Amino acid sequence: MFINLVEFPKIKDGREAEFERWFASSTELFATFPGFVARRLLKPTQNAERYAAIVEHESEKTFLAMQTSPEHQTVWDNVSPLLEGAPSVRSYEVADTTIKHSGPSPDWDPRDPVVLRDQRQAYDEMRQRCPVAYSDFLGWSLFGYEDVLAATRDVKTFSNATKRHPIPNGWDPPEHTRYRSLLDPYFSAQRMAAFEPRCRQIAIDLLQPLVAQGNAEFIDDFVEPYLLSALCAFCGWPHDDWARLRDWTRANQHAAFTAEHDAAGALARDFSAYIGHQLATRRAREGASNEDLTASLLMLTLDEKGLSDEDLVGLLRNFAAGTSTTVGATGIAALYLVEHPEMQARLRADSALVPAFVEEILRSDGPLVANSRTAQTDAAVHGRTIPAGAHVSLMWIAANRDDRAFPEPDAIRFDRDLSKHLAFGAGIHTCLGAPL
């Protein structure tokens, strides 16, 4: 078998649908060539920003014959006006289903059903067997606590910058530092203390009718309404909009998991329109005002200029999307307490232990698997070389269960250093909303 990986340059703005139609029609033509096996389009993702295609032939001779045919030239002439450059082609000979090329051989498959069945156990095993591992899906993964912590601190080697640059974490220093200094005050201890009574009241209002009826679906009836109502209160959005935000976050998660790019784009536009309305409402009011977070953000300036609507939409979108991990964490904590009634009784008897319990459950069974970085230079870790430009996954769950940093990692212990765990990240990119 002979495989070609065709990497397309940037598609001209607004012509993506036309390009995909071209691909479908040209595949029908290519399929008429003797020795053709299959042709598949790979759409842009978070980790790969451009289109690519995989083309399979019976032999190299088949591919060369097709490349020199008049039909092949006509196909490329038809797509050239849609592209900002020429495609590149890499070829691989396949034997026994193994592609022979210069890249690393995968050490594991994060999508293997055995891994997905028990991710904690699988990551624990990887940390012992192969603490720096390569996979086609996640790129290079770091599993050990010290390795992950070192990567968060070495921002020159492991960059967090992204193409769209959402603020603040889509930037590296010095831009990140400037944006973060503007936003950190909104999550100060003083502001959180002032906001806490509002959160408690939201919880009480939701719980009282659930207690009266005697049963509830914890996530649907309490966790999501509570967290999204608190977000609305924090940002100054109408309380009843929590349900709209729930639908948006659920649909956004589904689109991300299923790689439905058209659906994700439509959801992004819907959220942008919602935030645009919130911004316009506040701009229409007479005089500058900082009566809520959204209004306050409109008053921020950097280099004597206000933040753009695009920046504000990206920032507030991250606030909303971040509730998904908090939903997961709350559900995990509740399940643990149901399965460990002795811990539930202990916390009821001494509520001063609750903050430590929260930190420990986040460490031992966190809701966020990993975050990514990009290697800016070749990096040597545990005798392996991560090449410049490579995608690097920081495996928070595995790092937080490293018994060299946290003895008895499965146990919920109140004598640990609560500042060590990495559930909210570490270094300059520590989660902005962690105090909330």
Side-chain angles (χ1 to χ4, degrees), residues 326-349:
T326 315
V327 169
T330 311
I332 290 168
L335 179 61
Y336 183 92
L337 293 175
V338 168
E339 294 177 340
H340 298 80
E342 73 286 353
M343 178 62 73
Q344 185 178 157
R346 186 177 178 185
L347 296 179
R348 288 180 182 277

Side-chain angles (χ1 to χ4, degrees), residues 191-221:
R191 280 180 176 261
M192 295 301 97
F195 186 55
E196 183 177 353
R198 181 74 184 98
C199 294
R200 289 186 179 277
Q201 190 58 52
I202 291 170
I204 291 169
D205 292 344
L206 286 166
L207 284 172
Q208 283 181 334
L210 300 182
V211 171
Q213 71 187 34
N215 62 80
E217 205 296 315
F218 186 61
I219 299 296
D220 289 348
D221 296 339

Side-chain angles (χ1 to χ4, degrees), residues 253-401:
Q253 276 189 312
H254 178 78
F257 291 151
T258 57
E260 296 177 9
H261 303 293
D262 291 342
L267 289 164
R269 289 189 293 274
D270 178 62
F271 189 83
S272 296
Y274 175 81
I275 297 301
H277 173 71
Q278 298 299 326
L279 297 176
T281 299
R282 286 155 180 79
R283 285 192 177 109
R285 295 171 184 164
E286 293 185 5
S289 172
N290 62 350
E291 78 273 13
D292 58 47
L293 175 67
T294 303
S296 295
L297 293 176
L298 281 171
M299 299 173 66
L300 291 179
T301 59
L302 192 66
D303 296 332
E304 300 182 354
K305 295 180 181 178
L307 301 183
S308 69
D309 280 12
E310 182 180 3
D311 283 341
L312 294 173
V313 168
L315 176 64
L316 294 169
R317 181 188 295 120
N318 284 342
F319 286 180
T323 59
S324 298
T325 52
T326 315
V327 169
T330 311
I332 290 168
L335 179 61
Y336 183 92
L337 293 175
V338 168
E339 294 177 340
H340 298 80
E342 73 286 353
M343 178 62 73
Q344 185 178 157
R346 186 177 178 185
L347 296 179
R348 288 180 182 277
D350 185 359
S351 61
L353 294 175
V354 169
F357 169 77
V358 170
E359 300 297 333
E360 266 288 85
I361 200 71
L362 287 171
R363 178 201 60 77
S364 68
D365 195 2
L368 183 61
V369 172
N371 281 132
S372 63
R373 300 291 191 269
T374 302
Q376 299 301 290
T377 61
D378 289 356
V381 186
H382 279 295
R384 306 195 72 175
T385 299
I386 300 174
H391 181 87
V392 181
S393 297
L394 308 183
M395 307 299 288
W396 306 122
I397 292 179
N400 279 330
R401 293 174 52 77

